[in-house]
Amino acid sequence: MTGDTDKQGAGKQGADKDNADMDGARNASLGWTSYLAICALGLTIGLTSIGPSASEGLGTLNRMAFWAAHVVPALILLAVTQMALGQIKRLSTLPGLLQVILSATVAAILFSPLALGIDGLLAGAAALDDDGDTLLARLVSELGHFFVPLVLIWTLINAPSLLQLERGGLRSRTEDAPPPEAAPPDKLVAFWARLPGRLGRDLVALSAELHYVRVYTTKGDTLILFPFGRAVDLLQDQNGMQIHRSHWVALDQIDEVVSRDGRVTCQMIGGPALPVSRSYRAALKAARRGAV
């Protein structure tokens, strides 16, 4: 090997060239963090404009601050709750829509004390109407006000990804299963079951998108609802490694490792260019040397 920028076999590059355009388009798509940020902005502006009774009596700027203080932590809590519940093996096998609704339900219950506190700090006179009630009664009342809208909004936010999961599942059920010789080890059955059969079993990379995982193979990519950490653990015996808190790569699918302006990037064969964290760079270099 002549360095981190050495190419893998030219024949393999040619075989995978047809997938480059599709993967390039995927790289240009919106990541989940950016998507949630846009959703938070849209919800804040929308609620400020509509002006529900909870913010009655507040000026425009104060009303925007009031709703931003609700929307931002609520979305963060929803995402964290869904990721946490996804780590529970039994729950991670549930259908995607059910996981989303369950996560929204748990997050709503956890958010109600925070929402009540925000109301007390920022709201107008409307927030004082129930001051004579017990704390438990006020919490129940607060939860009742936003539970249904929160579950509905979280489901709509996840709808594009859920539709991708459903399309992938339909294709997987209507396509031939991988040949017996390609059958995965038992511990990977739960992981492979999430992938459409058309994508095969030759992994290129995994990328975490909050509570979803983007799985790249030599035949394309798809989005699955699966904990990234669990996927990495299951793939420990595979010829690959984690290179970033959000990325895992197959070592034999690395086209080149590029270092530029202090940043290191893993360019996959016919696939995405993924960042390499400082803490993983030495291990990646050693792993590539060992592979050669």
Side-chain angles (χ1 to χ4, degrees):
M1 185 177 72
T2 59
D4 283 341
T5 58
D6 287 350
K7 304 287 185 180
Q8 300 292 319
K12 194 165 190 178
Q13 286 181 339
D16 292 323
K17 186 176 180 181
D18 291 340
N19 294 320
D21 292 340
M22 179 178 63
D23 290 327
R26 229 302 297 173
N27 291 338
S29 67
L30 197 62
W32 250 95
T33 303
S34 300
Y35 175 59
L36 282 183
I38 292 174
C39 289
L41 179 61
L43 285 170
T44 299
I45 293 174
L47 290 169
T48 301
S49 302
I50 296 172
S53 59
S55 59
E56 185 178 350
L58 298 177
T60 301
L61 292 179
N62 287 336
R63 193 161 63 245
M64 180 173 287
F66 174 82
W67 288 116
H70 282 79
V71 168
V72 173
L75 289 183
I76 293 174
L77 183 58
L78 283 161
V80 170
T81 300
Q82 187 153 318
M83 285 189 289
L85 292 182
Q87 298 294 329
I88 302 174
K89 186 175 181 180
R90 181 168 296 181
L91 296 182
S92 68
T93 62
L94 296 174
L97 179 59
L98 190 54
Q99 289 190 51
V100 169
I101 293 175
L102 178 61
S103 300
T105 300
V106 174
I109 295 172
L110 295 176
F111 182 63
S112 55
L114 178 58
L116 191 63
I118 295 172
D119 288 349
L121 288 173
L122 301 178
L128 304 176
D129 292 345
D130 300 327
D131 270 359
D133 295 335
T134 64
L135 177 60
L136 179 60
R138 294 174 64 191
L139 286 172
V140 172
S141 175
E142 185 75 17
L143 180 62
H145 286 148
F146 67 77
F147 177 77
V148 173
L150 186 144
V151 172
L152 180 59
I153 288 171
W154 187 237
T155 301
L156 291 175
I157 287 174
N158 280 269
S161 297
L162 291 174
L163 288 173
Q164 286 190 49
L165 299 179
E166 180 60 23
R167 285 197 299 268
L170 287 173
R171 283 194 294 263
S172 180
R173 289 191 291 271
T174 58
E175 290 166 354
D176 294 334
E181 61 271 19
D186 289 344
K187 69 175 185 177
L188 287 173
V189 168
F191 175 76
W192 292 125
R194 300 279 181 172
L195 269 63
R198 64 184 174 83
L199 293 182
R201 297 294 181 259
D202 295 323
L203 290 176
V204 173
L206 305 181
S207 291
E209 298 183 11
L210 287 186
H211 39 279
Y212 295 93
V213 175
R214 177 70 58 177
V215 181
Y216 298 89
T217 74
T218 55
K219 296 182 179 180
D221 68 86
T222 192
L223 194 69
I224 65 173
L225 188 52
F226 200 87
F228 176 74
R230 185 179 169 207
V232 171
D233 289 341
L234 292 175
L235 294 169
Q236 283 184 351
D237 296 334
Q238 305 296 304
N239 183 31
M241 64 173 292
Q242 188 171 352
I243 60 168
H244 186 276
R245 65 179 181 178
S246 301
H247 304 293
W248 177 96
V249 298
L251 294 174
D252 60 351
Q253 293 294 328
I254 298 176
D255 185 1
E256 60 179 342
V257 177
V258 180
S259 179
R260 183 179 296 114
D261 299 328
R263 300 180 60 186
V264 177
T265 304
C266 236
Q267 177 63 57
M268 309 308 294
I269 297 175
L274 303 174
V276 183
S277 296
R278 290 183 182 275
S279 57
Y280 290 101
R281 292 175 188 176
L284 176 61
K285 189 173 183 180
R288 295 194 73 207
R289 282 178 176 167
V292 174

